Amino acid sequence: MDFKSLLKKEFVFLDGAMGTMLQKSGLPVGEMPEILGITNGELIEKIHREYIDAGADIVYANTFGANRYKLANSGYDVSQVIEKAVSNAKKAAAGTETLVALDIGPIGQLLEPAGSMAFEEAYDIFKEQIIAGKNADLIVFETMTDLYEIKAAVLAAKENSDKPIVCTMTFEKNMRTFTGVSVSSMALTLGGLGVDALGVNCSLGPDELYPVIEELSKWTNLPIVVKPNAGLPDPNSNTYSVGAEYFAESIAKMIPLGVKFVGGCCGTSPEYIAKLRQVFGEKHFCKNLCPVTSAVCSASNTVNINQPRIIGERINPTGKKLFKEALKNNDMDYILSQAVSQVSAGAEILDVNVGLPEIDEKDMMVRAVKAIQSVTDVPLQIDSTKPDVIEAGLRAYNGKAIVNSVNGEEKSLSQILPIVKKYGASVVGLTLDENGIPKTSEERFKIAEKILNRALQEGIPRENVFIDCLTLTASAEQQGVNETLNALHRVKTELGCKTVLGVSNISFGLPNRELINSTFLTMAMQMGLDLPIINPNAQAMTGAVRAFRVLADFDKNSLDFISAYSGVTANPTPTTKADSDVFHAVTNGLKDEGAKAVEELLKTNDPMDIINNKLIPALDKVGDDFETGKVFLPQLIQSANTAQACFELIKKKLTAENNSPVSKGKIILATVKGDIHDIGKNIVKVLLDNYGYTVVDLGRDVDPSVIAETAVKENIRMIGLSALMTTTLKSMEDTITLVRNTKELQNPDGSSKCVIFVGGAVLTEDYAMKIGADYYCKDAKESVDTAKKVLG
């Protein structure tokens, strides 16, 4: 049996939880499950066999956390652990048709821009695991929350293995992952990269995952994977809230959505897999046929090209003296300011062109893509004539991008299209070839047809091919205006491709250019233009698109138009330019701009006044936007880092004046014993630091006694605990109990002096209260709000 043969079955049954089974077998808290493959391989084989006997078609090798970061202090290297784990699973599956998957989970570090790990380092970590697991039958990436991380993982697999790839990410009730990844962004990006199946695992029970799978079914035709938790653990017993029968019946409700692979995550056991086989026994697979959609995305924002969408043209040195100087001087803040201003003005996609002879275009493209994605979540269009620059930009990009561009020349087609296919991007096809730009619409149409056919041969679907029929200057070739529009209309109606135009070229050499541009733009949209490349800061241009969307019945009830022109000011009106610069810099994550603004304010303002009346309100605004889903984790962290840079300048001045800032209070943060995941805790630390609290960070895998002793020694009255794994929730409860029972941390009446707040993906407010916490904080912003309540 191989993977392709397995897909011919009605359903593919996966195994259930490994950690839950090990816990039942007496796994000591704090011991890495992956090491047991070496120290107690018989136990691991036994668990695999139990799942195989229950009916699993695929068992996951015990390799989930076997990466160099997590194994650093284990005494074992990656190849030792993974090779043994795969061998154990193979032994258990011997004599059966069950396949063995190399199971790879998150590294345990946040990737840039929200964290410190580079994309390239993550790639190397995954590559090492994939090479070590070469004897597995397929590769599974699971429990991922960061689209950039799983992209690094998939590329590592594609470039170092020929095994089938299955991907599942972990979503919360808000239909996003911990880092803000949307379901559509996952589907577009991973589908584009060529994975064999994708879906969801962990975090939620089957009922809560239904809407996530329902949304996924709208964005992919790939086989869908679902591996839910058995609800949440009961703190008073070793059971979970969802039993095997209900679990199986709930997943069966997802069959009409295209679910093909079914299994279990935390809290499940062989009983659950056996029940799945029983419930699914007489049912039939329903292939999901989602509508064909032209769309591009960042990790958190999908732009469906089902109506005219604005591509901002300002990140381009052509004809822009200041932009050229910024590139030469490596002034990334200027580039970022162009990105932010265009998005604020209405750009939905940003074109990124950094081509200048005097600089290293490839290096600058990578840095620009990463930097722009740290301050805005609109999708990007990678604009270059050089294949190596395009590939570098696509590799660095988090999401599904557009490539600008390919043309009808054989050299261009053969060099660019394979890159577009590899990274799952969309591509702009220019209707020119070795003979230049044709005069007639007929000739341009033929080139468009040639580009489309070559793209289809390369495996690039029609919906990912956007044709640019090229705007010529009306002052020089007036008759060419209608040739462009006629070609555009034919491409849209006869080839079924989305269309692109660089609009501003039309008016070159004429007076009142904006009038010409906006009139031509409206004519083009009426003929079928989907993606106008314009300056969104020109109100007449952006207004023309918004008005057209109302009049063409795209903007239902004129909601977007009214929102854009209602005159409501969301931000408070600053009183000075420096005030404005600080607020703008922090809310948009522009670190250098923020530092310059604070330096200016320090000349005339009290440092504490800047903190309390300038920086904190800006952070509050970002926090509110995060709470309401207007910005996501990368933007939140970037804003926090900008505020931190501002704080450092203020602290430096206060220290020089022998007047250090007063802490608002001390808070212990720790990831509980047995849990080595500290991403969430680290994010909370960043925000609490910025709000003026002194954080005593005890790290990860912290023994309860260390937390209690530190609270006594440091006289700390507020403790934050984090846990990502259901298997370590007992450690969280034990820590809370120890703190409550420590006499030095009790009031005279026996009540606790310490306020304890808890968080983590596997927690709910109800569970937090049951184990004795005072507060449940679902995210970093809520942790800050709780600190304000308790400490002021």
Side-chain angles (χ1 to χ4, degrees):
M1 179 74 71
D2 59 16
F3 189 77
K4 286 185 178 179
S5 301
L6 203 55
L7 288 177
K8 295 176 182 177
K9 299 178 65 174
E10 292 289 336
F11 300 100
V12 179
F13 296 94
L14 309 173
D15 62 8
M18 174 62 76
T20 301
M21 295 294 287
L22 291 174
Q23 200 172 35
K24 289 179 179 178
S25 301
L27 175 70
V29 173
E31 186 168 343
M32 283 191 70
E34 293 80 8
I35 301 303
L36 283 178
I38 295 175
T39 61
N40 194 352
E42 295 81 8
L43 173 60
I44 302 300
E45 285 180 44
K46 176 177 177 292
I47 293 171
H48 286 318
R49 277 195 297 271
E50 288 180 30
Y51 278 120
I52 292 168
D53 291 343
D57 296 308
I58 298 174
V59 292
Y60 289 18
N62 185 31
T63 53
F64 178 82
N67 63 64
R68 72 173 75 145
Y69 174 71
K70 291 181 178 177
L71 292 174
N73 299 312
S74 69
Y76 298 96
D77 62 36
V78 171
S79 59
Q80 283 178 293
V81 174
I82 289 181
E83 287 171 10
K84 183 61 175 173
V86 172
S87 174
N88 290 334
K90 285 283 188 178
K91 286 181 184 177
T96 75
E97 295 188 333
T98 300
L99 302 183
V100 172
L102 172 63
D103 183 25
I104 298 179
I107 294 168
Q109 286 267 38
L110 269 179
L111 267 67
E112 54 188 345
S116 59
M117 179 170 284
F119 178 85
E120 295 79 9
E121 183 182 357
Y123 174 92
D124 286 341
I125 288 173
F126 290 123
K127 176 181 177 181
E128 182 179 28
Q129 292 175 276
I130 288 156
I131 292 172
K134 61 184 180 297
N135 291 329
D137 301 303
L138 67 149
I139 299 168
V140 170
F141 300 111
E142 66 165 340
T143 325
M144 295 289 190
T145 61
D146 184 349
L147 189 63
Y148 209 29
E149 182 175 14
I150 199 169
K151 176 180 177 177
V154 172
L155 285 174
K158 286 282 185 180
E159 293 173 354
N160 297 281
S161 170
D162 59 358
K163 309 288 185 186
I165 301 171
V166 175
C167 293
T168 56
M169 297 189 76
T170 297
F171 288 84
E172 300 175 5
K173 287 183 179 180
N174 64 358
M175 304 281 284
R176 290 186 179 271
T177 72
F178 166 69
T179 63
V181 178
S182 67
V183 175
S184 54
S185 293
M186 174 189 74
L188 289 169
T189 304
L190 299 183
L193 289 172
V195 304
D196 296 280
L198 59 84
V200 183
N201 80 291
C202 204
S203 187
L204 301 172
D207 286 346
E208 292 83 4
L209 280 184
Y210 185 93
V212 179
I213 298 298
E214 185 177 38
E215 177 68 9
L216 179 58
S217 70
K218 299 173 184 176
W219 291 96
T220 185
N221 287 317
L222 288 172
I224 291 176
V225 186
V226 60
K227 220 170 183 264
N229 286 352
L232 281 170
D234 185 334
N236 300 316
S237 70
N238 289 322
T239 62
Y240 279 69
S241 58
V242 177
E245 186 168 356
Y246 186 85
F247 180 87
E249 290 172 351
S250 294
I251 294 179
K253 295 175 184 176
M254 304 178 195
I255 290 175
L257 302 177
V259 167
K260 178 79 173 182
F261 293 76
V262 294
C265 204
C266 301
T268 60
S269 64
E271 178 191 1
Y272 286 73
I273 307 309
K275 187 58 69 173
L276 276 172
R277 287 210 74 121
Q278 179 184 332
V279 170
F280 276 65
E282 300 301 319
K283 301 184 184 298
H284 298 285
F285 169 63
C286 298
K287 181 170 175 56
N288 181 44
L289 296 173
C290 74
V292 173
T293 304
S294 291
V296 292
C297 67
S298 65
S300 57
N301 178 19
T302 294
V303 175
N304 190 347
I305 308 170
N306 56 1
Q307 57 185 287
R309 301 291 189 182
I310 296 172
I311 299 180
E313 68 180 8
R314 299 295 297 169
I315 303 176
N316 189 319
T318 305
K320 302 181 185 72
K321 184 177 179 181
L322 289 177
F323 198 96
K324 289 179 180 178
E325 290 302 312
L327 289 176
K328 291 176 186 177
N329 297 328
N330 196 27
D331 184 359
M332 192 60 70
D333 254 33
Y334 180 84
I335 297 172
L336 297 185
S337 69
Q338 291 295 311
V340 169
S341 67
Q342 288 186 97
V343 173
S344 297
E348 294 154 291
I349 300 167
L350 294 177
D351 186 84
V352 181
N353 184 317
V354 292
L356 203 64
E358 297 94 320
I359 68 169
D360 182 340
E361 184 183 352
K362 180 178 174 181
D363 177 68
M364 179 58 78
M365 178 63 80
V366 170
R367 291 193 292 117
V369 165
K370 290 181 178 182
I372 292 167
Q373 287 208 286
S374 75
V375 299
T376 181
D377 70 347
V378 301
L380 302 185
Q381 178 169 275
I382 310 300
D383 187 351
S384 178
T385 59
K386 300 176 180 177
D388 63 326
V389 174
I390 290 172
E391 176 155 22
L394 288 177
R395 197 174 186 86
Y397 181 71
N398 188 8
K400 177 185 176 184
I402 305 173
V403 169
N404 187 13
S405 56
V406 70
N407 62 54
E409 295 183 41
E410 180 56 38
K411 180 180 178 182
S412 176
L413 292 167
S414 61
Q415 289 184 342
I416 303 299
L417 291 181
I419 298 172
V420 172
K421 169 61 178 173
K422 175 180 177 178
Y423 292 95
S426 294
V427 62
V428 173
L430 305 182
T431 54
L432 59 84
D433 57 17
E434 293 86 348
N435 299 313
I437 302 174
K439 296 289 185 182
T440 68
S441 61
E442 177 65 30
E443 290 175 295
R444 292 189 216 176
F445 179 83
K446 287 180 179 178
I447 295 175
E449 195 170 33
K450 175 183 178 182
I451 293 170
L452 173 61
N453 288 335
R454 284 292 294 274
L456 293 174
Q457 291 171 21
E458 193 68 41
I460 300 168
R462 186 183 306 267
E463 61 268 23
N464 285 349
V465 180
F466 310 155
I467 299 297
D468 186 341
C469 291
L470 299 171
T471 305
L472 301 180
T473 304
S475 61
E477 300 187 57
Q478 197 165 351
Q479 71 283 0
V481 175
N482 280 327
E483 294 297 330
T484 296
L485 295 178
N486 290 336
L488 183 154
H489 185 67
R490 288 193 64 190
V491 165
K492 184 70 176 285
T493 57
E494 296 178 37
L495 297 184
C497 292
K498 298 298 181 182
T499 59
V500 188
L501 276 181
V503 175
S504 303
N505 292 340
I506 196 72
S507 63
F508 186 78
L510 291 172
N512 200 349
R513 293 191 62 185
E514 193 170 271
L515 178 60
I516 296 288
N517 290 344
S518 60
T519 302
F520 176 68
L521 171 58
T522 302
M523 293 170 65
M525 287 189 290
Q526 187 61 34
M527 295 294 279
L529 176 61
D530 299 292
L531 294 167
I533 303 175
I534 63 173
N535 176 8
N537 300 103
Q539 293 185 15
M541 301 296 285
T542 305
V545 176
R546 288 171 173 156
F548 181 85
R549 293 198 290 221
V550 171
L551 300 177
D553 197 30
F554 291 119
D555 183 2
K556 300 298 181 183
N557 300 313
S558 308
L559 293 178
D560 292 339
F561 188 87
I562 292 169
S563 175
Y565 296 108
S566 63
V568 176
T569 302
N571 298 338
T573 303
T575 56
T576 70
K577 184 179 186 302
D579 287 342
S580 173
D581 288 345
V582 169
F583 191 89
H584 180 265
V586 173
T587 54
N588 289 286
L590 303 175
K591 190 182 293 186
D592 291 346
E593 182 179 315
K596 291 174 184 176
V598 165
E599 285 180 341
E600 188 64 30
L601 283 173
L602 283 171
K603 295 176 182 178
T604 56
N605 288 262
D606 178 72
M608 293 309 298
D609 178 65
I610 299 172
I611 291 174
N612 294 323
N613 298 321
K614 310 292 191 300
L615 293 175
I616 295 300
L619 278 174
D620 285 342
K621 172 65 167 60
V622 177
D624 291 342
D625 286 349
F626 177 74
E627 288 285 282
T628 55
K630 295 176 183 176
V631 301
F632 300 97
L633 187 63
Q635 291 80 38
L636 177 70
I637 296 297
Q638 191 70 12
S639 289
N641 288 339
T642 300
Q644 189 65 40
C646 296
F647 279 122
E648 291 304 320
L649 286 172
I650 294 171
K651 288 177 184 178
K652 184 177 179 180
K653 181 175 177 63
L654 289 171
T655 301
E657 297 173 352
N658 295 316
N659 186 22
S660 296
V662 178
S663 170
K664 292 181 179 178
K666 286 185 178 182
I667 302 173
I668 287 176
L669 291 182
T671 302
V672 298
K673 181 67 178 175
D675 203 317
I676 58 173
H677 302 89
D678 58 0
I679 290 174
K681 172 189 65 66
N682 292 342
I683 293 168
V684 173
K685 180 182 184 299
V686 169
L687 283 193
L688 289 173
D689 281 341
N690 278 321
Y691 274 87
Y693 300 98
T694 301
V695 176
V696 179
D697 184 0
L698 297 181
R700 52 189 181 143
D701 190 19
V702 184
D703 193 272
S705 62
V706 173
I707 296 171
E709 289 167 5
T710 304
V712 172
K713 181 180 178 182
E714 300 286 339
N715 193 29
I716 293 175
R717 297 295 174 259
M718 191 168 189
I719 299 172
L721 302 176
S722 174
L724 184 68
M725 302 159 61
T726 56
T727 53
T728 58
L729 289 178
K730 184 65 169 62
S731 293
M732 181 175 279
E733 182 180 10
D734 291 343
T735 302
I736 293 171
T737 300
L738 180 61
V739 170
R740 300 295 191 216
N741 292 336
T742 299
K743 289 186 178 180
E744 294 89 340
L745 299 177
Q746 292 176 346
N747 292 309
D749 63 359
S751 62
S752 178
K753 293 179 181 179
C754 285
V755 171
I756 300 175
F757 66 101
V758 298
V762 294
L763 281 169
T764 63
E765 184 172 10
D766 180 60
Y767 189 90
M769 297 304 104
K770 283 182 179 178
I771 62 175
D774 297 295
Y775 292 94
Y776 162 69
C777 299
K778 70 178 185 294
D779 54 41
K781 173 60 167 55
E782 200 160 300
S783 299
V784 171
D785 293 341
T786 300
K788 288 179 181 178
K789 289 179 188 176
V790 175
L791 301 176

